[in-house]
Amino acid sequence: VDPATSTPSLPPRFSTSRAMANSCRLVDKAGGASTTALFTYARLWLFSEQVLMVRQDFLVPVFWPTRMQLALFTFAFLRPSRVALGLCVAMRISMYTAQAPMIWDSSIWANFTDCCFLSSLVLCADADVLRGTGDTVRVMMGMFYVAAGFWKLNSAFLDATVS
């Protein structure tokens, strides 16, 4: 209970102030552990995206400059920076957008999460990028899965003869 307002307060981890818009400080130039964590995440994301582009080429439009994207991803992997990572995320967003509407549901979800990450990368300090994005993405994924479950419940799903 907050003594000043005599109203119950939420634990810090459930505080609404941790939403991306409120948890982000302005971008700072300080490095350290937060930058290391961000660039470690960036390298893992870049590696997994390169593997997906090579192994699941059906996700990539036929006209897409795949070699250019792989070169950019490789450069960002070897020399990570906020700008290089932002360009890579923006390129993946544009790849799925260029292929729309003929994309998988997971590609749409990826675009939403990538847009969230990109906005956090632009607006937040290094220490807040992952935390701000993580909170927002957890809420988005929860809504996506609840909606998917809701749409799954239809007459064909509930009919024991066909389900």
Side-chain angles (χ1 to χ4, degrees):
V1 174
D2 185 8
T5 61
S6 70
T7 58
S9 59
L10 296 172
R13 120 180 172 176
F14 294 105
S15 173
T16 56
S17 66
R18 286 200 48 214
M20 184 175 75
N22 296 332
S23 70
C24 294
R25 297 177 301 218
L26 292 177
V27 175
D28 61 1
K29 301 296 181 192
S34 62
T35 302
T36 303
L38 176 62
F39 291 158
T40 300
Y41 166 78
R43 285 186 168 125
L44 289 170
W45 182 83
L46 289 162
F47 177 75
S48 68
E49 286 305 309
Q50 285 183 331
V51 169
L52 284 175
M53 282 183 65
V54 172
R55 298 293 298 156
Q56 296 182 339
D57 59 348
F58 59 87
L59 293 174
V60 182
V62 175
F63 58 86
W64 195 251
T66 306
R67 289 185 177 148
M68 184 176 76
Q69 185 167 349
L70 288 174
L72 176 63
F73 279 29
T74 302
F75 173 77
F77 183 87
L78 297 174
R79 302 205 29 113
S81 70
R82 291 175 70 102
V83 173
L85 180 58
L87 287 172
C88 291
V89 172
M91 192 162 198
R92 189 175 94 148
I93 291 170
S94 62
M95 180 183 77
Y96 286 147
T97 303
Q99 195 173 4
M102 306 304 181
I103 56 177
W104 297 84
D105 292 345
S106 62
S107 300
I108 297 169
W109 294 17
N111 261 7
F112 280 115
T113 58
D114 286 351
C115 287
C116 174
F117 180 76
L118 188 60
S119 63
S120 183
L121 189 65
V122 168
L123 298 173
C124 298
D126 287 348
D128 296 326
V129 170
L130 298 177
R131 180 180 48 239
T133 303
D135 292 345
T136 306
V137 167
R138 272 190 287 281
V139 171
M140 283 178 14
M141 286 295 140
M143 291 188 310
F144 288 155
Y145 278 103
V146 166
F150 174 76
W151 290 113
K152 180 68 176 169
L153 295 175
N154 55 37
S155 60
F157 177 76
L158 298 174
D159 186 2
T161 60
V162 295
S163 179

